[in-house]
């Protein structure tokens, strides 16, 4: 098995991102979500049309992690003002981070976070932030294990119901004042 490589996504990656997001969301949250709510969420965030819209939105970009020439995972990064609990005014949001269930434990998640942190650093952001369901012990353990700390909570809709998410923060050393090459 080849090492994980992270690169910016292109329009050609839309079907792969949509497929990985759908499989990973169903595996992680399907058992805890009513089918009708999961269907709304999957259409809103992981349909090919939703991925295309996000890719075309100013301030949004995807990174893909590849292993063996296939998408193992992805991260959606968004620029913008962070929530009040984030201890910085200039931070990059990791709006989504999903790894295909069959590709977990290859280092794709860690590689995506490292790439997001490097991008934030190169753009002179103070750090990266994200939210994850507070009952997702496995996700919180992953993020805190690589240096994130909980700084608050947020509500997150999945279909009709709202879930409580942990708001996590990772500071980065700022190395640049402009966009990273190739960003």
């Amino acid at each position: 098995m080849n090492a994980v490589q992270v690169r910016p996504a292109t329009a050609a990656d839309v079907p792969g991102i949509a497929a990985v997001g759908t499989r990973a969301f169903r595996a992680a949250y399907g058992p805890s979500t009513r089918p009708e709510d999961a269907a709304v969420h999957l259409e809103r965030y992981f349909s090919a049309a939703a991925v295309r819209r996000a890719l075309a939105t100013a301030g949004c970009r995807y990174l893909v992690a590849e292993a063996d020439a296939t998408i193992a995972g992805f991260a959606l990064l968004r620029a913008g003002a962070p929530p009040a609990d984030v201890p910085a005014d200039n931070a990059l949001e990791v709006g989504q981070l999903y790894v295909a269930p069959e590709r977990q434990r290859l280092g794709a998640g860690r590689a995506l976070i490292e790439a997001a942190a490097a991008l934030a650093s190169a753009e002179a952001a103070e750090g990266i932030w994200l939210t994850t369901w507070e009952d997702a012990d496995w996700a919180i353990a992953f993020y805190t294990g690589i240096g994130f700390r909980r700084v608050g909570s947020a509500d997150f809709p999945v279909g009709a119901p709202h879930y409580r998410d942990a708001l996590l923060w990772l500071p980065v050393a700022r190395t640049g004042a402009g966009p990273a090459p190739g960003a």
Side-chain angles (χ1 to χ4, degrees):
M1 190 153 301
N2 295 331
V4 173
Q5 302 287 324
V6 176
R7 63 171 175 77
T10 67
D13 296 314
V14 167
I17 292 169
V20 167
T22 297
R23 286 195 324 275
F25 180 85
R26 282 186 175 143
Y29 304 110
S32 304
T33 308
R34 295 182 334 191
E36 60 271 24
D37 294 323
V40 168
H41 186 81
L42 291 170
E43 180 63 29
R44 183 176 295 151
Y45 295 103
F46 299 117
S47 66
V51 174
R52 255 193 247 62
R53 273 192 307 276
L55 195 56
T57 300
C60 289
R61 61 199 133 174
Y62 284 96
L63 298 176
V64 293
E66 290 182 319
D68 297 326
T70 61
I71 295 176
F74 68 89
L76 171 62
L77 308 178
R78 291 189 282 244
D85 289 337
V86 170
D89 293 328
N90 181 12
L92 189 63
E93 177 190 6
V94 179
Q96 298 172 355
L97 190 142
Y98 285 93
V99 175
E102 71 278 6
R103 306 305 295 250
Q104 292 182 355
R105 309 235 187 274
L106 298 178
R110 178 179 289 273
L112 286 162
I113 289 296
E114 288 172 356
L119 191 60
S121 177
E123 294 177 357
E126 296 173 67
I128 57 177
W129 67 275
L130 57 83
T131 64
T132 191
W133 185 34
E134 67 180 13
D135 289 344
D137 296 336
W138 69 94
I140 292 172
F142 167 74
Y143 292 122
T144 58
I146 57 177
F148 280 86
R149 66 182 169 87
R150 186 173 183 159
V151 294
S153 298
D155 285 333
F156 186 80
V158 177
H162 284 244
Y163 292 82
R164 196 78 167 145
D165 278 5
L167 175 60
L168 303 172
W169 163 251
L170 179 69
V172 299
R174 293 187 278 174
T175 62

